[in-house]
Amino acid sequence: MKDLRLPSEDRGQSPYTGWTRAHWETVADHWLLTARRHASAAGGLITPPGRPSAAGIRSDGIEGFARSFLIAAPLLAGREADPYRHADFYARGLAAAMAPDGPDRWGRAIGVDEIKQWNGTPQPIVEAANLAFGLAISRTRFWDQLDDKLRDQTAEWLTHHAVKHGSDNNWLLFTAVIEAFLVSAGYDVPGGHAQEDVDLFESWYLGDGWYNDGPISPATRHGNRVDHYNSWVIHPFLWQWYQLSDQPAERRERYLGRLGEFADSYSLLFAADGSPLHQGRSLTYRQAVLGGLWTAALAGVGNEAAGATRRLASGVLRRFTADLGVGVDGAPSLGWSAAEFLPMCQVYSGPGSPYFAGMGFLGLAAPADHPLWTEAEQPQPSERADCVRTLREVGWVIRSGDGVVQIANHASDHVVDPDTGRGDPHYAALGYSTHTAPGVGDAFADGVDGTATLVDEWGRAARREGLRGTATGEGWAASWFRPRMGGVDVPGARVVSLSVLHQGYELRAHLITAPAGWTVREGSFAVAGARQPHADEGITDTGDGISVHGGDVTVDLVPLHGWTGSGVARYRGGNAFGEFSAAPYLTAAPVPGLPTVYVSAHRLGRSKNGLVPVTVAVTGECLVAAWSDGRRDEFVLDELFS
């Protein structure tokens, strides 16, 4: 099967996407058959071509097997037939992986606390968890069909990993699910610590169904690591843990309530064309973003109808396959579209890593007569009406409208300790969207898009990292930080940033204190495409503002107070959405040591710019915004964090 050949669309059953369960099964079969082309002779390792991960090529082969099994497991569980004999292939490969002296023998991970004493890698802990998760999903169709010897060998390998200590983040759930699966299958796990680890992870709960992916920073209320891991690891693995382990009923119900809340808020983050939010790490997992939504649907929680969940999920799968070509003519690449784009990937990602997209096929575990597959498609949240919603405990404000979804980000920067902070373009920006990506490489080094910061006399930008506080309200969020350069605070510098999202615009206000010799700069979203983005200046009646069009979206940036200069930063090869990218920006020369307010309006959408629907008045550090629909906002910026 060299090229993906899809069934005919069914616009009666699926009026929005035309895709049915048959399309999902076809794509799943295609990905699995493609993976086989990169399997070792005995089938225990699957290693597509590509850059090896930091864990090494052997670990990458285990990864390719275990993660592609995440596709096979729900397919086997929910489909009566197995026309391509996926079960036989993975059983044969697993036998080769567990053979003590075989060429495909899987190595064993070390814990993070053992790295200094022993050579090795902790990475197989993750793959052991993926294997255990898949085995739990397909238990009657796969695990129960293995011979006793292979089950015992596999259980012994899994047990080694169940008692290891991984990172203090979502990895705690990996070892917990391994242990829970083994116990449910009748195996003892001496030294297991699953209950303790899940208890710790549950303490990182934020609100609205979302978890912080690690310890909460004492410097902020919210913590700093919020991203798609909530959907592709945290909720699926927590759900599996609660299914497999014996827990008090009230605790189980509390978790299911959180899962439902998560699905309701997370479903707001997908555009009508199937584009998910481009924010956070491990984005090469792509349609794994659907993991938490499928989990909620399988658990029967959340307010979304089954037809709306399938419509959203089919839109995402269609977006990555039919539109972007991912996995159509070969193994999925390390990137966002079909093409490889390594600058957006992490060192732990190898050629088998993208198969974690298999978590996005979890809905196939529901049989064909489940409402997920029998109900007619219904509109997803971004199609029903334009909306603005604040996730108060997360520190995000979500806006959908004009074909895109965006967030104002005032909490997540992936920095646990602000005193030793480091920047990350996929966390550090003030905003992210479904149709733009942050600049990486030189584009991130220049620090233009998605931030308001200081620039020294040599043109070097300070970083927005190590947020010191977050405040939220209805339709708005704010944060403050001390600009950093080379991991050190810029002396005397401080930035308070506020985002108000209303009437299709984001009003950004900043109270900035800068030392002598520095200038102030704010950049909007970076748009990208196969061609150089087009820019227009003077887009308002007063001649102010810049509009940049790239790909299929336009970003408008209009100065409203304090800004005196503007420009467009252009890059090549620095954006996951296209070869050429551009971001509009504003500049000003501050009075040294004097806190000053700067205000601008940002609009991101599929249509051309319109009239800015807000006027502002600034008195000292007080901002008053009057919107054309009658809404009035008033903020005293220096008192938001007093």
mmCIF file of all heavy atoms in Angstrom, residues 569-601:
data_model
loop_
_atom_site.group_PDB
_atom_site.id
_atom_site.type_symbol
_atom_site.label_atom_id
_atom_site.label_comp_id
_atom_site.label_asym_id
_atom_site.label_seq_id
_atom_site.Cartn_x
_atom_site.Cartn_y
_atom_site.Cartn_z
ATOM 1 N N ALA A 569 9.387 41.891 10.550
ATOM 2 C CA ALA A 569 10.547 41.002 10.613
ATOM 3 C C ALA A 569 10.288 39.797 9.718
ATOM 4 O O ALA A 569 9.250 39.144 9.849
ATOM 5 C CB ALA A 569 10.798 40.556 12.049
ATOM 6 N N ARG A 570 11.211 39.505 8.814
ATOM 7 C CA ARG A 570 11.035 38.415 7.852
ATOM 8 C C ARG A 570 12.124 37.362 8.039
ATOM 9 O O ARG A 570 13.286 37.687 8.308
ATOM 10 C CB ARG A 570 11.076 38.950 6.418
ATOM 11 C CG ARG A 570 9.952 39.941 6.108
ATOM 12 C CD ARG A 570 10.006 40.408 4.664
ATOM 13 N NE ARG A 570 8.946 41.349 4.348
ATOM 14 C CZ ARG A 570 7.710 41.001 3.993
ATOM 15 N NH1 ARG A 570 7.408 39.713 3.903
ATOM 16 N NH2 ARG A 570 6.808 41.920 3.720
ATOM 17 N N TYR A 571 11.704 36.095 7.854
ATOM 18 C CA TYR A 571 12.641 34.991 8.028
ATOM 19 C C TYR A 571 12.384 33.919 6.979
ATOM 20 O O TYR A 571 11.295 33.824 6.406
ATOM 21 C CB TYR A 571 12.500 34.384 9.431
ATOM 22 C CG TYR A 571 12.798 35.375 10.523
ATOM 23 C CD1 TYR A 571 11.757 36.111 11.113
ATOM 24 C CD2 TYR A 571 14.100 35.602 10.941
ATOM 25 C CE1 TYR A 571 12.026 37.036 12.107
ATOM 26 C CE2 TYR A 571 14.374 36.525 11.935
ATOM 27 C CZ TYR A 571 13.339 37.245 12.503
ATOM 28 O OH TYR A 571 13.611 38.172 13.472
ATOM 29 N N ARG A 572 13.390 33.080 6.797
ATOM 30 C CA ARG A 572 13.264 31.923 5.918
ATOM 31 C C ARG A 572 13.755 30.686 6.672
ATOM 32 O O ARG A 572 14.832 30.696 7.271
ATOM 33 C CB ARG A 572 14.081 32.112 4.641
ATOM 34 C CG ARG A 572 13.880 30.986 3.632
ATOM 35 C CD ARG A 572 14.515 31.301 2.293
ATOM 36 N NE ARG A 572 14.209 30.261 1.321
ATOM 37 C CZ ARG A 572 14.590 30.286 0.042
ATOM 38 N NH1 ARG A 572 15.297 31.324 -0.421
ATOM 39 N NH2 ARG A 572 14.268 29.293 -0.770
ATOM 40 N N GLY A 573 12.934 29.649 6.646
ATOM 41 C CA GLY A 573 13.301 28.403 7.311
ATOM 42 C C GLY A 573 13.131 28.422 8.815
ATOM 43 O O GLY A 573 13.665 27.544 9.487
ATOM 44 N N GLY A 574 12.373 29.369 9.339
ATOM 45 C CA GLY A 574 12.219 29.484 10.780
ATOM 46 C C GLY A 574 10.802 29.296 11.269
ATOM 47 O O GLY A 574 10.479 29.748 12.375
ATOM 48 N N ASN A 575 9.949 28.599 10.490
ATOM 49 C CA ASN A 575 8.559 28.453 10.908
ATOM 50 C C ASN A 575 7.996 27.135 10.374
ATOM 51 O O ASN A 575 8.196 26.787 9.210
ATOM 52 C CB ASN A 575 7.723 29.628 10.380
ATOM 53 C CG ASN A 575 6.395 29.759 11.077
ATOM 54 O OD1 ASN A 575 5.483 28.973 10.871
ATOM 55 N ND2 ASN A 575 6.272 30.790 11.919
ATOM 56 N N ALA A 576 7.284 26.415 11.232
ATOM 57 C CA ALA A 576 6.744 25.107 10.864
ATOM 58 C C ALA A 576 5.628 25.200 9.837
ATOM 59 O O ALA A 576 5.276 24.193 9.220
ATOM 60 C CB ALA A 576 6.231 24.393 12.110
ATOM 61 N N PHE A 577 5.075 26.385 9.636
ATOM 62 C CA PHE A 577 3.935 26.529 8.731
ATOM 63 C C PHE A 577 4.328 26.929 7.314
ATOM 64 O O PHE A 577 3.450 27.041 6.455
ATOM 65 C CB PHE A 577 2.943 27.555 9.293
ATOM 66 C CG PHE A 577 2.007 26.979 10.329
ATOM 67 C CD1 PHE A 577 2.490 26.275 11.413
ATOM 68 C CD2 PHE A 577 0.644 27.146 10.218
ATOM 69 C CE1 PHE A 577 1.642 25.740 12.364
ATOM 70 C CE2 PHE A 577 -0.220 26.621 11.165
ATOM 71 C CZ PHE A 577 0.276 25.919 12.243
ATOM 72 N N GLY A 578 5.592 27.152 7.064
ATOM 73 C CA GLY A 578 5.994 27.488 5.707
ATOM 74 C C GLY A 578 7.424 27.990 5.648
ATOM 75 O O GLY A 578 8.002 28.415 6.664
ATOM 76 N N GLU A 579 8.005 27.954 4.465
ATOM 77 C CA GLU A 579 9.394 28.346 4.267
ATOM 78 C C GLU A 579 9.633 29.812 4.611
ATOM 79 O O GLU A 579 10.663 30.186 5.155
ATOM 80 C CB GLU A 579 9.795 28.071 2.812
ATOM 81 C CG GLU A 579 11.214 28.467 2.451
ATOM 82 C CD GLU A 579 12.262 27.563 3.089
ATOM 83 O OE1 GLU A 579 11.910 26.487 3.578
ATOM 84 O OE2 GLU A 579 13.449 27.958 3.064
ATOM 85 N N PHE A 580 8.643 30.665 4.283
ATOM 86 C CA PHE A 580 8.797 32.096 4.509
ATOM 87 C C PHE A 580 7.833 32.560 5.600
ATOM 88 O O PHE A 580 6.664 32.166 5.607
ATOM 89 C CB PHE A 580 8.518 32.871 3.218
ATOM 90 C CG PHE A 580 9.451 32.522 2.094
ATOM 91 C CD1 PHE A 580 9.111 31.547 1.172
ATOM 92 C CD2 PHE A 580 10.676 33.157 1.963
ATOM 93 C CE1 PHE A 580 9.963 31.216 0.130
ATOM 94 C CE2 PHE A 580 11.538 32.834 0.931
ATOM 95 C CZ PHE A 580 11.185 31.858 0.010
ATOM 96 N N SER A 581 8.310 33.389 6.499
ATOM 97 C CA SER A 581 7.463 33.883 7.577
ATOM 98 C C SER A 581 7.737 35.359 7.820
ATOM 99 O O SER A 581 8.798 35.887 7.474
ATOM 100 C CB SER A 581 7.703 33.086 8.866
ATOM 101 O OG SER A 581 9.045 33.202 9.294
ATOM 102 N N ALA A 582 6.754 36.011 8.428
ATOM 103 C CA ALA A 582 6.891 37.439 8.723
ATOM 104 C C ALA A 582 6.010 37.790 9.909
ATOM 105 O O ALA A 582 4.915 37.245 10.067
ATOM 106 C CB ALA A 582 6.510 38.287 7.513
ATOM 107 N N ALA A 583 6.486 38.707 10.731
ATOM 108 C CA ALA A 583 5.733 39.163 11.900
ATOM 109 C C ALA A 583 5.811 40.677 11.986
ATOM 110 O O ALA A 583 6.913 41.249 11.959
ATOM 111 C CB ALA A 583 6.292 38.545 13.178
ATOM 112 N N PRO A 584 4.676 41.357 12.110
ATOM 113 C CA PRO A 584 4.711 42.814 12.303
ATOM 114 C C PRO A 584 5.082 43.152 13.743
ATOM 115 O O PRO A 584 4.790 42.387 14.668
ATOM 116 C CB PRO A 584 3.276 43.234 11.984
ATOM 117 C CG PRO A 584 2.448 42.044 12.352
ATOM 118 C CD PRO A 584 3.303 40.839 12.049
ATOM 119 N N TYR A 585 5.707 44.309 13.924
ATOM 120 C CA TYR A 585 6.092 44.703 15.277
ATOM 121 C C TYR A 585 6.018 46.222 15.436
ATOM 122 O O TYR A 585 5.986 46.977 14.455
ATOM 123 C CB TYR A 585 7.490 44.199 15.627
ATOM 124 C CG TYR A 585 8.614 44.778 14.793
ATOM 125 C CD1 TYR A 585 9.232 45.981 15.137
ATOM 126 C CD2 TYR A 585 9.074 44.114 13.654
ATOM 127 C CE1 TYR A 585 10.266 46.521 14.379
ATOM 128 C CE2 TYR A 585 10.109 44.624 12.886
ATOM 129 C CZ TYR A 585 10.700 45.834 13.246
ATOM 130 O OH TYR A 585 11.719 46.356 12.493
ATOM 131 N N LEU A 586 5.987 46.652 16.691
ATOM 132 C CA LEU A 586 5.964 48.063 17.067
ATOM 133 C C LEU A 586 7.155 48.349 17.965
ATOM 134 O O LEU A 586 7.637 47.465 18.677
ATOM 135 C CB LEU A 586 4.668 48.404 17.807
ATOM 136 C CG LEU A 586 3.360 48.089 17.079
ATOM 137 C CD1 LEU A 586 2.173 48.296 18.015
ATOM 138 C CD2 LEU A 586 3.218 48.950 15.833
ATOM 139 N N THR A 587 7.632 49.607 17.953
ATOM 140 C CA THR A 587 8.763 49.986 18.788
ATOM 141 C C THR A 587 8.509 51.329 19.457
ATOM 142 O O THR A 587 7.644 52.108 19.027
ATOM 143 C CB THR A 587 10.062 50.085 17.964
ATOM 144 O OG1 THR A 587 9.887 51.062 16.921
ATOM 145 C CG2 THR A 587 10.429 48.739 17.347
ATOM 146 N N ALA A 588 9.286 51.592 20.501
ATOM 147 C CA ALA A 588 9.240 52.884 21.194
ATOM 148 C C ALA A 588 10.527 53.060 21.978
ATOM 149 O O ALA A 588 11.191 52.082 22.340
ATOM 150 C CB ALA A 588 8.039 52.964 22.125
ATOM 151 N N ALA A 589 10.880 54.319 22.237
ATOM 152 C CA ALA A 589 12.046 54.644 23.057
ATOM 153 C C ALA A 589 11.550 55.107 24.420
ATOM 154 O O ALA A 589 11.001 56.206 24.542
ATOM 155 C CB ALA A 589 12.878 55.733 22.396
ATOM 156 N N PRO A 590 11.703 54.306 25.452
ATOM 157 C CA PRO A 590 11.146 54.659 26.758
ATOM 158 C C PRO A 590 11.991 55.696 27.493
ATOM 159 O O PRO A 590 13.171 55.895 27.187
ATOM 160 C CB PRO A 590 11.163 53.328 27.505
ATOM 161 C CG PRO A 590 12.352 52.624 26.934
ATOM 162 C CD PRO A 590 12.398 53.012 25.474
ATOM 163 N N VAL A 591 11.391 56.336 28.461
ATOM 164 C CA VAL A 591 12.139 57.184 29.385
ATOM 165 C C VAL A 591 12.766 56.263 30.433
ATOM 166 O O VAL A 591 12.041 55.518 31.112
ATOM 167 C CB VAL A 591 11.221 58.222 30.057
ATOM 168 C CG1 VAL A 591 12.019 59.045 31.073
ATOM 169 C CG2 VAL A 591 10.579 59.118 29.018
ATOM 170 N N PRO A 592 14.082 56.240 30.566
ATOM 171 C CA PRO A 592 14.722 55.286 31.489
ATOM 172 C C PRO A 592 14.156 55.366 32.903
ATOM 173 O O PRO A 592 14.023 56.454 33.479
ATOM 174 C CB PRO A 592 16.189 55.709 31.457
ATOM 175 C CG PRO A 592 16.369 56.367 30.122
ATOM 176 C CD PRO A 592 15.075 57.076 29.861
ATOM 177 N N GLY A 593 13.798 54.206 33.440
ATOM 178 C CA GLY A 593 13.331 54.108 34.808
ATOM 179 C C GLY A 593 11.908 54.534 35.048
ATOM 180 O O GLY A 593 11.407 54.400 36.175
ATOM 181 N N LEU A 594 11.216 55.032 34.039
ATOM 182 C CA LEU A 594 9.843 55.504 34.212
ATOM 183 C C LEU A 594 8.863 54.461 33.683
ATOM 184 O O LEU A 594 8.855 54.161 32.489
ATOM 185 C CB LEU A 594 9.625 56.815 33.461
ATOM 186 C CG LEU A 594 8.206 57.401 33.536
ATOM 187 C CD1 LEU A 594 7.883 57.824 34.955
ATOM 188 C CD2 LEU A 594 8.054 58.578 32.570
ATOM 189 N N PRO A 595 8.029 53.873 34.538
ATOM 190 C CA PRO A 595 7.033 52.912 34.039
ATOM 191 C C PRO A 595 6.102 53.585 33.034
ATOM 192 O O PRO A 595 5.525 54.643 33.322
ATOM 193 C CB PRO A 595 6.280 52.496 35.307
ATOM 194 C CG PRO A 595 7.218 52.807 36.437
ATOM 195 C CD PRO A 595 7.963 54.036 36.001
ATOM 196 N N THR A 596 5.969 52.977 31.871
ATOM 197 C CA THR A 596 5.209 53.574 30.769
ATOM 198 C C THR A 596 4.242 52.560 30.191
ATOM 199 O O THR A 596 4.576 51.375 30.071
ATOM 200 C CB THR A 596 6.165 54.072 29.655
ATOM 201 O OG1 THR A 596 7.128 54.965 30.233
ATOM 202 C CG2 THR A 596 5.394 54.789 28.560
ATOM 203 N N VAL A 597 3.060 53.022 29.802
ATOM 204 C CA VAL A 597 2.028 52.150 29.246
ATOM 205 C C VAL A 597 2.075 52.203 27.718
ATOM 206 O O VAL A 597 2.150 53.281 27.117
ATOM 207 C CB VAL A 597 0.630 52.565 29.747
ATOM 208 C CG1 VAL A 597 -0.457 51.731 29.055
ATOM 209 C CG2 VAL A 597 0.541 52.400 31.263
ATOM 210 N N TYR A 598 2.002 51.028 27.115
ATOM 211 C CA TYR A 598 1.942 50.883 25.659
ATOM 212 C C TYR A 598 0.740 50.003 25.335
ATOM 213 O O TYR A 598 0.531 48.972 25.973
ATOM 214 C CB TYR A 598 3.218 50.235 25.118
ATOM 215 C CG TYR A 598 4.482 50.950 25.518
ATOM 216 C CD1 TYR A 598 5.118 50.637 26.721
ATOM 217 C CD2 TYR A 598 5.027 51.943 24.719
ATOM 218 C CE1 TYR A 598 6.275 51.295 27.111
ATOM 219 C CE2 TYR A 598 6.192 52.609 25.094
ATOM 220 C CZ TYR A 598 6.803 52.288 26.293
ATOM 221 O OH TYR A 598 7.951 52.950 26.674
ATOM 222 N N VAL A 599 -0.050 50.409 24.338
ATOM 223 C CA VAL A 599 -1.278 49.687 24.014
ATOM 224 C C VAL A 599 -1.347 49.454 22.513
ATOM 225 O O VAL A 599 -0.994 50.338 21.710
ATOM 226 C CB VAL A 599 -2.534 50.466 24.474
ATOM 227 C CG1 VAL A 599 -3.785 49.596 24.316
ATOM 228 C CG2 VAL A 599 -2.393 50.939 25.913
ATOM 229 N N SER A 600 -1.827 48.272 22.125
ATOM 230 C CA SER A 600 -1.980 47.935 20.711
ATOM 231 C C SER A 600 -3.169 47.010 20.524
ATOM 232 O O SER A 600 -3.660 46.403 21.477
ATOM 233 C CB SER A 600 -0.713 47.262 20.171
ATOM 234 O OG SER A 600 -0.430 46.092 20.918
ATOM 235 N N ALA A 601 -3.640 46.907 19.280
ATOM 236 C CA ALA A 601 -4.728 45.998 18.922
ATOM 237 C C ALA A 601 -4.204 44.981 17.920
ATOM 238 O O ALA A 601 -3.519 45.343 16.953
ATOM 239 C CB ALA A 601 -5.905 46.765 18.332
#
